[in-house]
PDB file of all heavy atoms in Angstrom:
ATOM      1  N   PRO A   1      -2.873 -72.077  87.644  1.00 97.00           N
ATOM      2  CA  PRO A   1      -2.492 -70.673  87.490  1.00 97.00           C
ATOM      3  C   PRO A   1      -1.149 -70.371  88.171  1.00 97.00           C
ATOM      4  O   PRO A   1      -0.851 -70.903  89.243  1.00 97.00           O
ATOM      5  CB  PRO A   1      -3.619 -69.912  88.186  1.00 97.00           C
ATOM      6  CG  PRO A   1      -4.774 -70.846  88.176  1.00 97.00           C
ATOM      7  CD  PRO A   1      -4.186 -72.212  88.283  1.00 97.00           C
ATOM      8  N   VAL A   2      -0.369 -69.521  87.517  1.00 97.00           N
ATOM      9  CA  VAL A   2       0.905 -69.064  88.065  1.00 97.00           C
ATOM     10  C   VAL A   2       0.766 -67.577  88.354  1.00 97.00           C
ATOM     11  O   VAL A   2       0.491 -66.781  87.458  1.00 97.00           O
ATOM     12  CB  VAL A   2       2.059 -69.304  87.065  1.00 97.00           C
ATOM     13  CG1 VAL A   2       3.354 -68.729  87.602  1.00 97.00           C
ATOM     14  CG2 VAL A   2       2.190 -70.790  86.757  1.00 97.00           C
ATOM     15  N   LYS A   3       0.942 -67.207  89.626  1.00 96.00           N
ATOM     16  CA  LYS A   3       0.767 -65.822  90.053  1.00 96.00           C
ATOM     17  C   LYS A   3       2.133 -65.154  90.198  1.00 96.00           C
ATOM     18  O   LYS A   3       3.036 -65.696  90.828  1.00 96.00           O
ATOM     19  CB  LYS A   3       0.029 -65.784  91.383  1.00 96.00           C
ATOM     20  CG  LYS A   3      -0.297 -64.411  91.887  1.00 96.00           C
ATOM     21  CD  LYS A   3      -1.118 -64.506  93.174  1.00 96.00           C
ATOM     22  CE  LYS A   3      -1.432 -63.144  93.730  1.00 96.00           C
ATOM     23  NZ  LYS A   3      -2.246 -63.235  94.950  1.00 96.00           N
ATOM     24  N   LYS A   4       2.261 -63.969  89.604  1.00 96.00           N
ATOM     25  CA  LYS A   4       3.487 -63.189  89.708  1.00 96.00           C
ATOM     26  C   LYS A   4       3.126 -61.759  90.087  1.00 96.00           C
ATOM     27  O   LYS A   4       2.042 -61.275  89.775  1.00 96.00           O
ATOM     28  CB  LYS A   4       4.235 -63.176  88.371  1.00 96.00           C
ATOM     29  CG  LYS A   4       4.717 -64.542  87.933  1.00 96.00           C
ATOM     30  CD  LYS A   4       5.422 -64.462  86.596  1.00 96.00           C
ATOM     31  CE  LYS A   4       5.820 -65.852  86.139  1.00 96.00           C
ATOM     32  NZ  LYS A   4       6.411 -65.845  84.818  1.00 96.00           N
ATOM     33  N   THR A   5       4.046 -61.106  90.752  1.00 94.00           N
ATOM     34  CA  THR A   5       3.870 -59.704  91.089  1.00 94.00           C
ATOM     35  C   THR A   5       4.935 -58.899  90.364  1.00 94.00           C
ATOM     36  O   THR A   5       6.127 -59.206  90.466  1.00 94.00           O
ATOM     37  CB  THR A   5       3.982 -59.478  92.606  1.00 94.00           C
ATOM     38  OG1 THR A   5       3.019 -60.313  93.257  1.00 94.00           O
ATOM     39  CG2 THR A   5       3.720 -58.038  92.963  1.00 94.00           C
ATOM     40  N   LEU A   6       4.512 -57.894  89.620  1.00 94.00           N
ATOM     41  CA  LEU A   6       5.445 -57.047  88.880  1.00 94.00           C
ATOM     42  C   LEU A   6       6.131 -56.068  89.821  1.00 94.00           C
ATOM     43  O   LEU A   6       5.735 -55.910  90.983  1.00 94.00           O
ATOM     44  CB  LEU A   6       4.697 -56.301  87.778  1.00 94.00           C
ATOM     45  CG  LEU A   6       3.992 -57.187  86.739  1.00 94.00           C
ATOM     46  CD1 LEU A   6       3.254 -56.322  85.735  1.00 94.00           C
ATOM     47  CD2 LEU A   6       4.978 -58.089  86.025  1.00 94.00           C
ATOM     48  N   GLU A   7       7.152 -55.399  89.317  1.00 93.00           N
ATOM     49  CA  GLU A   7       7.935 -54.458  90.131  1.00 93.00           C
ATOM     50  C   GLU A   7       7.083 -53.340  90.714  1.00 93.00           C
ATOM     51  O   GLU A   7       7.351 -52.852  91.804  1.00 93.00           O
ATOM     52  CB  GLU A   7       9.054 -53.865  89.283  1.00 93.00           C
ATOM     53  CG  GLU A   7      10.049 -54.901  88.816  1.00 93.00           C
ATOM     54  CD  GLU A   7      10.935 -54.387  87.699  1.00 93.00           C
ATOM     55  OE1 GLU A   7      10.707 -53.259  87.208  1.00 93.00           O
ATOM     56  OE2 GLU A   7      11.844 -55.127  87.310  1.00 93.00           O
ATOM     57  N   ASN A   8       6.021 -52.945  89.985  1.00 93.00           N
ATOM     58  CA  ASN A   8       5.170 -51.857  90.472  1.00 93.00           C
ATOM     59  C   ASN A   8       4.070 -52.343  91.413  1.00 93.00           C
ATOM     60  O   ASN A   8       3.191 -51.582  91.802  1.00 93.00           O
ATOM     61  CB  ASN A   8       4.546 -51.108  89.288  1.00 93.00           C
ATOM     62  CG  ASN A   8       3.633 -51.986  88.447  1.00 93.00           C
ATOM     63  OD1 ASN A   8       3.421 -53.154  88.741  1.00 93.00           O
ATOM     64  ND2 ASN A   8       3.101 -51.409  87.382  1.00 93.00           N
ATOM     65  N   GLY A   9       4.075 -53.651  91.765  1.00 91.00           N
ATOM     66  CA  GLY A   9       3.096 -54.198  92.692  1.00 91.00           C
ATOM     67  C   GLY A   9       1.873 -54.797  92.030  1.00 91.00           C
ATOM     68  O   GLY A   9       1.008 -55.360  92.702  1.00 91.00           O
ATOM     69  N   GLN A  10       1.778 -54.675  90.713  1.00 94.00           N
ATOM     70  CA  GLN A  10       0.639 -55.209  89.961  1.00 94.00           C
ATOM     71  C   GLN A  10       0.697 -56.742  89.918  1.00 94.00           C
ATOM     72  O   GLN A  10       1.743 -57.325  89.691  1.00 94.00           O
ATOM     73  CB  GLN A  10       0.663 -54.648  88.534  1.00 94.00           C
ATOM     74  CG  GLN A  10      -0.502 -55.043  87.691  1.00 94.00           C
ATOM     75  CD  GLN A  10      -1.717 -54.180  87.931  1.00 94.00           C
ATOM     76  OE1 GLN A  10      -1.893 -53.585  88.980  1.00 94.00           O
ATOM     77  NE2 GLN A  10      -2.573 -54.109  86.952  1.00 94.00           N
ATOM     78  N   THR A  11      -0.439 -57.397  90.120  1.00 95.00           N
ATOM     79  CA  THR A  11      -0.526 -58.851  90.074  1.00 95.00           C
ATOM     80  C   THR A  11      -0.866 -59.300  88.663  1.00 95.00           C
ATOM     81  O   THR A  11      -1.708 -58.707  87.995  1.00 95.00           O
ATOM     82  CB  THR A  11      -1.620 -59.358  91.032  1.00 95.00           C
ATOM     83  OG1 THR A  11      -1.314 -58.913  92.353  1.00 95.00           O
ATOM     84  CG2 THR A  11      -1.710 -60.869  91.018  1.00 95.00           C
ATOM     85  N   ILE A  12      -0.210 -60.374  88.214  1.00 97.00           N
ATOM     86  CA  ILE A  12      -0.493 -60.970  86.916  1.00 97.00           C
ATOM     87  C   ILE A  12      -0.551 -62.482  87.100  1.00 97.00           C
ATOM     88  O   ILE A  12       0.290 -63.066  87.779  1.00 97.00           O
ATOM     89  CB  ILE A  12       0.562 -60.556  85.858  1.00 97.00           C
ATOM     90  CG1 ILE A  12       0.224 -61.146  84.501  1.00 97.00           C
ATOM     91  CG2 ILE A  12       1.949 -60.941  86.278  1.00 97.00           C
ATOM     92  CD1 ILE A  12       1.092 -60.622  83.378  1.00 97.00           C
ATOM     93  N   VAL A  13      -1.591 -63.099  86.553  1.00 98.00           N
ATOM     94  CA  VAL A  13      -1.777 -64.546  86.671  1.00 98.00           C
ATOM     95  C   VAL A  13      -1.923 -65.126  85.271  1.00 98.00           C
ATOM     96  O   VAL A  13      -2.690 -64.599  84.450  1.00 98.00           O
ATOM     97  CB  VAL A  13      -3.021 -64.875  87.524  1.00 98.00           C
ATOM     98  CG1 VAL A  13      -3.302 -66.362  87.533  1.00 98.00           C
ATOM     99  CG2 VAL A  13      -2.838 -64.359  88.932  1.00 98.00           C
ATOM    100  N   THR A  14      -1.201 -66.199  84.997  1.00 98.00           N
ATOM    101  CA  THR A  14      -1.289 -66.871  83.705  1.00 98.00           C
ATOM    102  C   THR A  14      -1.711 -68.322  83.911  1.00 98.00           C
ATOM    103  O   THR A  14      -1.325 -68.952  84.893  1.00 98.00           O
ATOM    104  CB  THR A  14       0.050 -66.830  82.948  1.00 98.00           C
ATOM    105  OG1 THR A  14       1.043 -67.475  83.737  1.00 98.00           O
ATOM    106  CG2 THR A  14       0.489 -65.406  82.668  1.00 98.00           C
ATOM    107  N   PHE A  15      -2.512 -68.818  82.991  1.00 97.00           N
ATOM    108  CA  PHE A  15      -2.930 -70.220  83.012  1.00 97.00           C
ATOM    109  C   PHE A  15      -3.391 -70.608  81.617  1.00 97.00           C
ATOM    110  O   PHE A  15      -3.571 -69.759  80.744  1.00 97.00           O
ATOM    111  CB  PHE A  15      -4.039 -70.469  84.056  1.00 97.00           C
ATOM    112  CG  PHE A  15      -5.294 -69.677  83.855  1.00 97.00           C
ATOM    113  CD1 PHE A  15      -6.379 -70.225  83.200  1.00 97.00           C
ATOM    114  CD2 PHE A  15      -5.393 -68.381  84.346  1.00 97.00           C
ATOM    115  CE1 PHE A  15      -7.539 -69.499  83.029  1.00 97.00           C
ATOM    116  CE2 PHE A  15      -6.552 -67.644  84.185  1.00 97.00           C
ATOM    117  CZ  PHE A  15      -7.631 -68.199  83.519  1.00 97.00           C
ATOM    118  N   GLY A  16      -3.561 -71.884  81.391  1.00 97.00           N
ATOM    119  CA  GLY A  16      -3.992 -72.377  80.094  1.00 97.00           C
ATOM    120  C   GLY A  16      -5.394 -72.947  80.160  1.00 97.00           C
ATOM    121  O   GLY A  16      -5.845 -73.429  81.194  1.00 97.00           O
ATOM    122  N   VAL A  17      -6.085 -72.887  79.022  1.00 97.00           N
ATOM    123  CA  VAL A  17      -7.420 -73.461  78.896  1.00 97.00           C
ATOM    124  C   VAL A  17      -7.448 -74.324  77.636  1.00 97.00           C
ATOM    125  O   VAL A  17      -6.978 -73.909  76.577  1.00 97.00           O
ATOM    126  CB  VAL A  17      -8.503 -72.359  78.805  1.00 97.00           C
ATOM    127  CG1 VAL A  17      -9.875 -72.968  78.561  1.00 97.00           C
ATOM    128  CG2 VAL A  17      -8.512 -71.515  80.048  1.00 97.00           C
ATOM    129  N   ALA A  18      -7.995 -75.529  77.770  1.00 97.00           N
ATOM    130  CA  ALA A  18      -8.148 -76.438  76.638  1.00 97.00           C
ATOM    131  C   ALA A  18      -9.614 -76.512  76.244  1.00 97.00           C
ATOM    132  O   ALA A  18     -10.482 -76.707  77.100  1.00 97.00           O
ATOM    133  CB  ALA A  18      -7.644 -77.824  77.001  1.00 97.00           C
ATOM    134  N   THR A  19      -9.897 -76.319  74.955  1.00 96.00           N
ATOM    135  CA  THR A  19     -11.253 -76.483  74.444  1.00 96.00           C
ATOM    136  C   THR A  19     -11.271 -77.710  73.545  1.00 96.00           C
ATOM    137  O   THR A  19     -10.336 -77.953  72.784  1.00 96.00           O
ATOM    138  CB  THR A  19     -11.712 -75.244  73.651  1.00 96.00           C
ATOM    139  OG1 THR A  19     -10.761 -74.951  72.627  1.00 96.00           O
ATOM    140  CG2 THR A  19     -11.838 -74.045  74.559  1.00 96.00           C
ATOM    141  N   ASN A  20     -12.326 -78.492  73.652  1.00 93.00           N
ATOM    142  CA  ASN A  20     -12.455 -79.728  72.885  1.00 93.00           C
ATOM    143  C   ASN A  20     -13.634 -79.624  71.934  1.00 93.00           C
ATOM    144  O   ASN A  20     -14.630 -78.970  72.232  1.00 93.00           O
ATOM    145  CB  ASN A  20     -12.660 -80.921  73.824  1.00 93.00           C
ATOM    146  CG  ASN A  20     -11.501 -81.061  74.782  1.00 93.00           C
ATOM    147  OD1 ASN A  20     -10.354 -81.017  74.383  1.00 93.00           O
ATOM    148  ND2 ASN A  20     -11.806 -81.207  76.058  1.00 93.00           N
ATOM    149  N   ARG A  21     -13.507 -80.316  70.817  1.00 93.00           N
ATOM    150  CA  ARG A  21     -14.556 -80.307  69.805  1.00 93.00           C
ATOM    151  C   ARG A  21     -14.706 -81.722  69.279  1.00 93.00           C
ATOM    152  O   ARG A  21     -13.710 -82.413  69.057  1.00 93.00           O
ATOM    153  CB  ARG A  21     -14.141 -79.332  68.716  1.00 93.00           C
ATOM    154  CG  ARG A  21     -14.902 -79.328  67.471  1.00 93.00           C
ATOM    155  CD  ARG A  21     -14.412 -78.165  66.608  1.00 93.00           C
ATOM    156  NE  ARG A  21     -13.464 -78.600  65.611  1.00 93.00           N
ATOM    157  CZ  ARG A  21     -13.719 -78.606  64.306  1.00 93.00           C
ATOM    158  NH1 ARG A  21     -14.874 -78.192  63.864  1.00 93.00           N
ATOM    159  NH2 ARG A  21     -12.820 -79.015  63.452  1.00 93.00           N
ATOM    160  N   GLU A  22     -15.928 -82.173  69.113  1.00 93.00           N
ATOM    161  CA  GLU A  22     -16.212 -83.500  68.569  1.00 93.00           C
ATOM    162  C   GLU A  22     -17.179 -83.372  67.408  1.00 93.00           C
ATOM    163  O   GLU A  22     -18.088 -82.543  67.442  1.00 93.00           O
ATOM    164  CB  GLU A  22     -16.828 -84.408  69.638  1.00 93.00           C
ATOM    165  CG  GLU A  22     -15.899 -84.730  70.774  1.00 93.00           C
ATOM    166  CD  GLU A  22     -16.537 -85.663  71.798  1.00 93.00           C
ATOM    167  OE1 GLU A  22     -17.746 -85.973  71.670  1.00 93.00           O
ATOM    168  OE2 GLU A  22     -15.827 -86.074  72.716  1.00 93.00           O
ATOM    169  N   TRP A  23     -17.002 -84.194  66.387  1.00 94.00           N
ATOM    170  CA  TRP A  23     -17.901 -84.203  65.255  1.00 94.00           C
ATOM    171  C   TRP A  23     -17.875 -85.573  64.583  1.00 94.00           C
ATOM    172  O   TRP A  23     -16.984 -86.371  64.809  1.00 94.00           O
ATOM    173  CB  TRP A  23     -17.554 -83.095  64.273  1.00 94.00           C
ATOM    174  CG  TRP A  23     -16.282 -83.300  63.510  1.00 94.00           C
ATOM    175  CD1 TRP A  23     -16.167 -83.815  62.252  1.00 94.00           C
ATOM    176  CD2 TRP A  23     -14.951 -82.999  63.926  1.00 94.00           C
ATOM    177  NE1 TRP A  23     -14.845 -83.848  61.873  1.00 94.00           N
ATOM    178  CE2 TRP A  23     -14.071 -83.349  62.884  1.00 94.00           C
ATOM    179  CE3 TRP A  23     -14.404 -82.466  65.087  1.00 94.00           C
ATOM    180  CZ2 TRP A  23     -12.702 -83.193  62.977  1.00 94.00           C
ATOM    181  CZ3 TRP A  23     -13.021 -82.310  65.166  1.00 94.00           C
ATOM    182  CH2 TRP A  23     -12.202 -82.665  64.121  1.00 94.00           C
ATOM    183  N   ILE A  24     -18.895 -85.812  63.782  1.00 94.00           N
ATOM    184  CA  ILE A  24     -19.026 -87.063  63.033  1.00 94.00           C
ATOM    185  C   ILE A  24     -18.765 -86.742  61.555  1.00 94.00           C
ATOM    186  O   ILE A  24     -19.365 -85.817  61.007  1.00 94.00           O
ATOM    187  CB  ILE A  24     -20.437 -87.669  63.185  1.00 94.00           C
ATOM    188  CG1 ILE A  24     -20.809 -87.862  64.650  1.00 94.00           C
ATOM    189  CG2 ILE A  24     -20.563 -88.960  62.390  1.00 94.00           C
ATOM    190  CD1 ILE A  24     -20.106 -88.995  65.323  1.00 94.00           C
ATOM    191  N   THR A  25     -17.887 -87.517  60.925  1.00 92.00           N
ATOM    192  CA  THR A  25     -17.593 -87.307  59.512  1.00 92.00           C
ATOM    193  C   THR A  25     -18.696 -87.917  58.657  1.00 92.00           C
ATOM    194  O   THR A  25     -19.577 -88.618  59.155  1.00 92.00           O
ATOM    195  CB  THR A  25     -16.237 -87.940  59.143  1.00 92.00           C
ATOM    196  OG1 THR A  25     -16.323 -89.348  59.351  1.00 92.00           O
ATOM    197  CG2 THR A  25     -15.110 -87.351  59.974  1.00 92.00           C
ATOM    198  N   SER A  26     -18.627 -87.666  57.375  1.00 92.00           N
ATOM    199  CA  SER A  26     -19.652 -88.184  56.457  1.00 92.00           C
ATOM    200  C   SER A  26     -19.657 -89.712  56.394  1.00 92.00           C
ATOM    201  O   SER A  26     -20.677 -90.311  56.052  1.00 92.00           O
ATOM    202  CB  SER A  26     -19.442 -87.608  55.058  1.00 92.00           C
ATOM    203  OG  SER A  26     -18.157 -87.956  54.584  1.00 92.00           O
ATOM    204  N   ASP A  27     -18.529 -90.349  56.738  1.00 93.00           N
ATOM    205  CA  ASP A  27     -18.493 -91.813  56.765  1.00 93.00           C
ATOM    206  C   ASP A  27     -18.676 -92.361  58.192  1.00 93.00           C
ATOM    207  O   ASP A  27     -18.244 -93.459  58.509  1.00 93.00           O
ATOM    208  CB  ASP A  27     -17.217 -92.343  56.120  1.00 93.00           C
ATOM    209  CG  ASP A  27     -15.963 -91.793  56.767  1.00 93.00           C
ATOM    210  OD1 ASP A  27     -16.068 -90.870  57.590  1.00 93.00           O
ATOM    211  OD2 ASP A  27     -14.866 -92.297  56.461  1.00 93.00           O
ATOM    212  N   ASN A  28     -19.326 -91.568  59.058  1.00 92.00           N
ATOM    213  CA  ASN A  28     -19.713 -91.946  60.423  1.00 92.00           C
ATOM    214  C   ASN A  28     -18.545 -92.256  61.361  1.00 92.00           C
ATOM    215  O   ASN A  28     -18.688 -93.051  62.281  1.00 92.00           O
ATOM    216  CB  ASN A  28     -20.695 -93.116  60.415  1.00 92.00           C
ATOM    217  CG  ASN A  28     -22.056 -92.689  59.945  1.00 92.00           C
ATOM    218  OD1 ASN A  28     -22.442 -91.545  60.138  1.00 92.00           O
ATOM    219  ND2 ASN A  28     -22.771 -93.589  59.309  1.00 92.00           N
ATOM    220  N   ARG A  29     -17.413 -91.611  61.161  1.00 94.00           N
ATOM    221  CA  ARG A  29     -16.308 -91.737  62.105  1.00 94.00           C
ATOM    222  C   ARG A  29     -16.389 -90.571  63.087  1.00 94.00           C
ATOM    223  O   ARG A  29     -16.640 -89.435  62.704  1.00 94.00           O
ATOM    224  CB  ARG A  29     -14.954 -91.702  61.393  1.00 94.00           C
ATOM    225  CG  ARG A  29     -14.674 -92.960  60.600  1.00 94.00           C
ATOM    226  CD  ARG A  29     -13.274 -92.950  60.023  1.00 94.00           C
ATOM    227  NE  ARG A  29     -13.116 -91.747  59.187  1.00 94.00           N
ATOM    228  CZ  ARG A  29     -11.973 -91.074  59.051  1.00 94.00           C
ATOM    229  NH1 ARG A  29     -10.892 -91.461  59.680  1.00 94.00           N
ATOM    230  NH2 ARG A  29     -11.901 -90.018  58.276  1.00 94.00           N
ATOM    231  N   LYS A  30     -16.174 -90.868  64.355  1.00 94.00           N
ATOM    232  CA  LYS A  30     -16.188 -89.828  65.383  1.00 94.00           C
ATOM    233  C   LYS A  30     -14.789 -89.217  65.484  1.00 94.00           C
ATOM    234  O   LYS A  30     -13.804 -89.922  65.697  1.00 94.00           O
ATOM    235  CB  LYS A  30     -16.598 -90.421  66.736  1.00 94.00           C
ATOM    236  CG  LYS A  30     -16.797 -89.397  67.809  1.00 94.00           C
ATOM    237  CD  LYS A  30     -17.321 -90.041  69.075  1.00 94.00           C
ATOM    238  CE  LYS A  30     -17.566 -89.006  70.131  1.00 94.00           C
ATOM    239  NZ  LYS A  30     -18.087 -89.608  71.364  1.00 94.00           N
ATOM    240  N   MET A  31     -14.696 -87.910  65.316  1.00 94.00           N
ATOM    241  CA  MET A  31     -13.421 -87.194  65.349  1.00 94.00           C
ATOM    242  C   MET A  31     -13.407 -86.243  66.548  1.00 94.00           C
ATOM    243  O   MET A  31     -14.446 -85.729  66.943  1.00 94.00           O
ATOM    244  CB  MET A  31     -13.221 -86.390  64.063  1.00 94.00           C
ATOM    245  CG  MET A  31     -13.309 -87.216  62.797  1.00 94.00           C
ATOM    246  SD  MET A  31     -11.959 -88.374  62.626  1.00 94.00           S
ATOM    247  CE  MET A  31     -10.619 -87.276  62.308  1.00 94.00           C
ATOM    248  N   THR A  32     -12.235 -86.023  67.106  1.00 94.00           N
ATOM    249  CA  THR A  32     -12.072 -85.062  68.198  1.00 94.00           C
ATOM    250  C   THR A  32     -10.868 -84.176  67.915  1.00 94.00           C
ATOM    251  O   THR A  32      -9.925 -84.586  67.245  1.00 94.00           O
ATOM    252  CB  THR A  32     -11.872 -85.758  69.557  1.00 94.00           C
ATOM    253  OG1 THR A  32     -10.697 -86.553  69.478  1.00 94.00           O
ATOM    254  CG2 THR A  32     -13.055 -86.618  69.926  1.00 94.00           C
ATOM    255  N   SER A  33     -10.939 -82.973  68.446  1.00 95.00           N
ATOM    256  CA  SER A  33      -9.851 -82.016  68.275  1.00 95.00           C
ATOM    257  C   SER A  33      -9.768 -81.149  69.535  1.00 95.00           C
ATOM    258  O   SER A  33     -10.795 -80.817  70.127  1.00 95.00           O
ATOM    259  CB  SER A  33     -10.126 -81.141  67.057  1.00 95.00           C
ATOM    260  OG  SER A  33      -9.169 -80.128  66.941  1.00 95.00           O
TER     261      SER A  33
END
C-alpha cells in the first residue's frame, strides 16, 4: 500500500489485488488466469 495525504488532510491509500482462477478444459488441460 502507498499512503498519501491530500491538501485538506484526508488520507488516501492505494494498493493492488491479484485474483487467480483455475479450471480444467474439456481435453483435461489445467488452465490458470
Side-chain angles (χ1 to χ4, degrees):
V2 176
K3 184 176 178 179
K4 296 179 183 176
T5 304
L6 300 178
E7 297 165 354
N8 63 2
Q10 184 82 335
T11 302
I12 182 172
V13 174
T14 60
F15 59 97
V17 175
T19 54
N20 301 312
R21 169 173 98 111
E22 294 181 354
W23 71 97
I24 305 286
T25 63
S26 59
D27 57 350
N28 287 330
R29 288 186 303 147
K30 187 175 182 179
M31 304 292 290
T32 60
S33 174

